[in-house]
Amino acid sequence: HHTPTLPIPMKGHACSSKVRNLVFSFIVAVVVVSSSSTSRSVFSFSFGDVRKRLPKKGFRTFLKNTAAITNDAVVAKESSGDVWEMLQIKLQSVVAGADDDAENVRESVLTFYRDTNGWCPFCERVWICIRAKNLSYDETLVPLRNKPDWYKQMVPTGQVPAILFHKWDGGNDENTRKLVWESRDVMKALDDAFPDTVQLVYDTEEYNVAIEQNERLLKAGFDFLSLDGQDEGEDAEKVKGEKRDAFISSLNEIDQSLQKSGGPFRLGSKFTGVDAEMIPMLERWRYQLPLKDTPLNILEGRPYLQKWFEAVGITKFL
């Protein structure tokens, strides 16, 4: 009942060249603030969010053009030129190049419904699987607050992520589509729908044990972080200490399992759905926890977790 097969109209807004043009507009605004003394309104954005929005080639182009625009802005400022005019000219050429790239985009095989802020860990694990399979897809953003009625009618839980397969089981009928929600159901459906791509989800004891370990780590991390801002006192400090110890114990368990598997990934040499689930939570903790009042470095004393991060960092599809 979670995966009905039925014709579903496309709604919302899919990721397109317009989105990329808007991203480049954001770049211009940010560069202007850092390069010109003239006050202008800007939008804030994160590179992580942009990375999630753009295809692999588009993100690399984004980085290259960002560096080029920033460099030109600095040069223009030093020469007392009109920074804003120069950036407008540069933006036109960047957008033109992005539109040229768009002509070579493959036909999308699915639509990915995800959160607008690009921060949902369950959406991120699905996005990682899509990238691992090198699938061409459309993207529709769904606000977590005030979800549109059409989405709540389409997805009974009202939650993200969800995937709409444009053609299920190789059918010739364009209206034969399949909608799947719940991140793990989506990950399995991606394997089933595209058997010629890398398979990520396995029905083995080893895989299931690793998923259960992920669940324990996620719970321990949530329990630890949920104590932030709570009342202080002897009892509160005791609880915090216990939650911190439980979290550290779970991190140690992951490190030991990576050592036992031979690494660099959780189940050995191959990237799997277990790793796709680990990335969203571990990458956040790696960079957020050192900034807490009581800093915590999840890599300290965990060499195999460090190697896992290194392996993930050089994985081509991420």
Side-chain angles (χ1 to χ4, degrees), residues 82-95:
D82 189 326
V83 177
W84 186 250
E85 181 180 355
M86 182 277 301
L87 287 173
Q88 287 179 318
I89 295 173
K90 277 291 182 182
L91 177 60
Q92 292 174 4
S93 64
V94 168
V95 170

Side-chain angles (χ1 to χ4, degrees), residues 31-311:
V31 173
V32 167
V33 168
S34 62
S35 305
S36 173
S37 59
T38 305
S39 176
R40 302 183 188 276
S41 62
V42 298
F43 294 91
S44 63
F45 72 102
S46 70
F47 274 82
D49 190 50
V50 172
R51 184 180 186 181
K52 294 178 176 62
R53 299 287 184 268
L54 295 178
K56 182 177 180 181
K57 182 177 179 181
F59 183 67
R60 290 176 176 172
T61 301
F62 164 82
L63 291 177
K64 184 175 77 172
N65 287 323
T66 300
I69 291 175
T70 305
N71 179 70
D72 289 341
V74 172
V75 171
K77 180 181 179 182
E78 291 176 349
S79 63
S80 300
D82 189 326
V83 177
W84 186 250
E85 181 180 355
M86 182 277 301
L87 287 173
Q88 287 179 318
I89 295 173
K90 277 291 182 182
L91 177 60
Q92 292 174 4
S93 64
V94 168
V95 170
D99 287 338
D100 290 340
D101 289 342
E103 295 178 359
N104 300 320
V105 174
R106 296 170 297 163
E107 179 182 1
S108 298
V109 296
L110 55 86
T111 298
F112 178 28
Y113 298 91
R114 67 169 305 158
D115 58 317
T116 54
N117 58 14
W119 192 246
C120 169
F122 304 103
C123 292
E124 186 174 353
R125 63 172 63 161
V126 169
W127 172 80
I128 290 170
C129 293
I130 294 173
R131 293 294 296 268
K133 294 175 177 293
N134 193 29
L135 300 174
S136 181
Y137 64 99
D138 294 326
E139 185 177 77
T140 297
L141 305 181
V142 180
L144 297 184
R145 294 184 180 181
N146 300 319
K147 294 187 180 73
D149 289 339
W150 64 262
Y151 188 77
K152 290 186 287 187
Q153 292 169 5
M154 186 175 75
V155 179
T157 63
Q159 303 298 313
V160 291
I163 289 284
L164 176 64
F165 293 91
H166 295 178
K167 291 182 181 180
W168 183 255
D169 196 24
N172 295 321
D173 186 351
E174 293 185 357
N175 289 323
T176 301
R177 301 179 173 186
K178 185 170 184 176
L179 179 70
V180 185
W181 57 93
E182 301 295 344
S183 61
R184 285 180 181 157
D185 291 341
V186 171
M187 292 165 64
K188 181 62 169 65
L190 286 168
D191 275 0
D192 294 341
F194 306 103
D196 295 333
T197 65
V198 57
Q199 299 294 283
L200 300 173
V201 178
Y202 298 92
D203 186 16
T204 65
E205 181 179 0
E206 182 185 32
Y207 186 93
N208 293 330
V209 167
I211 289 296
E212 291 174 0
Q213 187 180 64
N214 279 356
E215 289 290 341
R216 292 194 298 273
L217 176 61
L218 181 62
K219 182 180 184 304
F222 179 81
D223 288 347
F224 172 59
L225 291 172
S226 67
L227 296 174
D228 286 351
Q230 293 192 6
D231 294 337
E232 297 182 358
E234 185 175 343
D235 291 341
E237 290 302 317
K238 180 181 179 181
V239 172
K240 288 181 181 180
E242 292 173 349
K243 298 296 184 182
R244 182 185 178 92
D245 290 344
F247 180 46
I248 290 175
S249 177
S250 291
L251 288 170
N252 291 338
E253 184 184 1
I254 288 288
D255 191 68
Q256 293 163 7
S257 294
L258 286 166
Q259 178 185 18
K260 185 177 179 179
S261 74
F265 298 112
R266 176 59 184 83
L267 297 183
S269 60
K270 293 175 59 177
F271 183 94
T272 69
V274 178
D275 301 289
E277 291 193 19
M278 290 168 63
I279 291 173
M281 57 180 176
L282 286 173
E283 71 175 0
R284 286 160 173 77
W285 294 338
R286 178 182 183 181
Y287 296 106
Q288 289 179 337
L289 295 183
L291 303 178
K292 288 173 60 68
D293 292 338
T294 305
L296 176 62
N297 181 355
I298 67 171
L299 298 184
E300 185 176 355
R302 300 180 184 90
Y304 298 96
L305 185 56
Q306 173 71 55
K307 291 180 180 179
W308 178 85
F309 267 106
E310 293 171 357

